[in-house]
Amino acid sequence: EIYTLSLHDALPILRFICALKENFRQLDAFVFSTSLVRISRALQLRRLDLVLDAISRQAGDWSGGTKIGFCLEAFRERYGKQVLNGSPVVLIMSDGLDTGDTEVLEKQVTAIRNRSKKLIWLNPLKGMQGYQPVAKGMKTALPHLDDFRSAHSLESILELENILEDA
């Protein structure tokens, strides 16, 4: 993503995703920047160093900007029929700093929202003082979300537990 989240910096988030995987059998996880990569199988390795290594090998384009709409479109085309059946809670973690087409993003976010129980966007920038969701991707997605949350600290990520319990 444009907000350069190195895989090392993603450790708290990956720990959280691994914990989710332990508690939710049907959890599927993906990472994206300019392309979508399914990491569900890598999460089964259970050791964070092995998970990071597997994800690093799969996701080779971390510094190319973020094409959120394009990646969500790939998600819907490849996995939508099997996972978007009206019952999943979909979590998207992104700063919303999109380099792609906002029309594609809006279409995909709307379609995912319509086929999920809840669509939650986690933004690592939202916890920063003075943050406003003015980036074009974030402004485009915001009206279609059920919840817009911060993901800037371990505390903010742990708050998700309450949201997921209610879902």
Side-chain angles (χ1 to χ4, degrees), residues 68-69 72 98 101-110 137 140-141:
I68 302 169
L72 294 179
D98 192 16
D101 184 339
T102 55
E103 289 179 23
V104 173
L105 175 60
E106 183 167 29
K107 178 181 177 184
Q108 299 309 318
V109 170
T110 301
T140 299

Side-chain angles (χ1 to χ4, degrees), residues 105-119:
L105 175 60
E106 183 167 29
K107 178 181 177 184
Q108 299 309 318
V109 170
T110 301
I112 290 170
R113 173 59 202 103
N114 289 340
R115 304 242 6 239
S116 61
K117 182 175 182 181
K118 198 172 209 180
L119 179 58

Side-chain angles (χ1 to χ4, degrees), residues 85-149:
N85 57 14
S87 65
V89 173
V90 177
L91 299 174
I92 297 173
M93 182 170 183
S94 173
D95 53 21
L97 300 175
D98 192 16
T99 60
D101 184 339
T102 55
E103 289 179 23
V104 173
L105 175 60
E106 183 167 29
K107 178 181 177 184
Q108 299 309 318
V109 170
T110 301
I112 290 170
R113 173 59 202 103
N114 289 340
R115 304 242 6 239
S116 61
K117 182 175 182 181
K118 198 172 209 180
L119 179 58
I120 302 168
W121 192 293
L122 309 172
N123 187 319
L125 301 179
K126 189 176 180 201
M128 297 173 64
Q129 187 174 8
Y131 170 79
Q132 294 294 317
V134 295
K136 70 178 184 172
M138 201 68 259
K139 279 179 23 179
T140 299
L142 201 53
H144 308 285
L145 307 177
D146 292 304
D147 209 342
F148 179 52
R149 296 280 177 150

Side-chain angles (χ1 to χ4, degrees), residues 29-127:
F30 303 84
V31 294
F32 64 87
S33 58
T34 58
S35 62
L36 181 78
V37 178
R38 189 178 196 177
I39 63 167
S40 303
R41 188 168 287 135
L43 294 176
Q44 293 172 350
L45 297 171
R46 298 191 192 268
R47 281 190 32 210
L48 211 49
D49 59 331
L50 296 176
V51 171
L52 281 170
D53 184 55
I55 293 170
S56 294
R57 280 184 271 118
Q58 286 181 282
D61 60 349
W62 284 100
S63 61
T66 307
K67 295 187 182 204
I68 302 169
F70 173 77
C71 292
L72 294 179
E73 182 176 54
F75 167 74
R76 282 190 53 239
E77 287 176 359
R78 290 183 213 151
Y79 308 102
K81 287 182 181 173
Q82 69 187 87
V83 299
L84 294 175
N85 57 14
S87 65
V89 173
V90 177
L91 299 174
I92 297 173
M93 182 170 183
S94 173
D95 53 21
L97 300 175
D98 192 16
T99 60
D101 184 339
T102 55
E103 289 179 23
V104 173
L105 175 60
E106 183 167 29
K107 178 181 177 184
Q108 299 309 318
V109 170
T110 301
I112 290 170
R113 173 59 202 103
N114 289 340
R115 304 242 6 239
S116 61
K117 182 175 182 181
K118 198 172 209 180
L119 179 58
I120 302 168
W121 192 293
L122 309 172
N123 187 319
L125 301 179
K126 189 176 180 201

